[in-house]
Amino acid sequence: MIVLLHVSIAVASLVLVTHTFFKPANKTLFASYGSILATLMSGLYLVLIEPARMPHTCEVGLIYLVIAVTMTLMARTRLLSTKKSEKTL
């Protein structure tokens, strides 16, 4: 059951991060941070209750983390550059 919840959180997080990347805003940026944290926490819980799956879980988790954090940081950069260009106008 917790695996299904974890996968749902991760997929929803990737959808949110993708939305934030294409339409950056402060609210969606903070929601992306929260969704990444929720995915990591549920993944950590899974590793703690089922240590035998740890190698596979960590590989997939690192791939997710790289993608989600990279897209979120790029969205943050785009948001900051948009705000700077609005100030100069």
Side-chain angles (χ1 to χ4, degrees), residues 36-73:
I36 291 169
L37 183 63
T39 305
L40 288 175
M41 290 294 108
S42 63
L44 179 64
Y45 178 74
L46 283 173
V47 167
L48 291 175
I49 64 169
E50 293 186 42
R53 292 187 177 191
M54 190 170 160
H56 175 68
T57 303
C58 289
E59 289 172 4
V60 174
L62 285 175
I63 292 168
Y64 160 81
L65 189 61
V66 167
I67 292 169
V69 169
T70 301
M71 289 182 73
T72 302
L73 291 176

Side-chain angles (χ1 to χ4, degrees), residues 2 5 10 32-35 42 45 49 55-56 60 64-65 71 73-74 76 80 83 89:
I2 189 72
L5 179 65
S32 293
Y33 296 150
S35 69
S42 63
Y45 178 74
I49 64 169
H56 175 68
V60 174
Y64 160 81
L65 189 61
M71 289 182 73
L73 291 176
M74 291 173 73
R76 182 177 179 267
L80 290 175
K83 286 183 177 182
L89 294 177

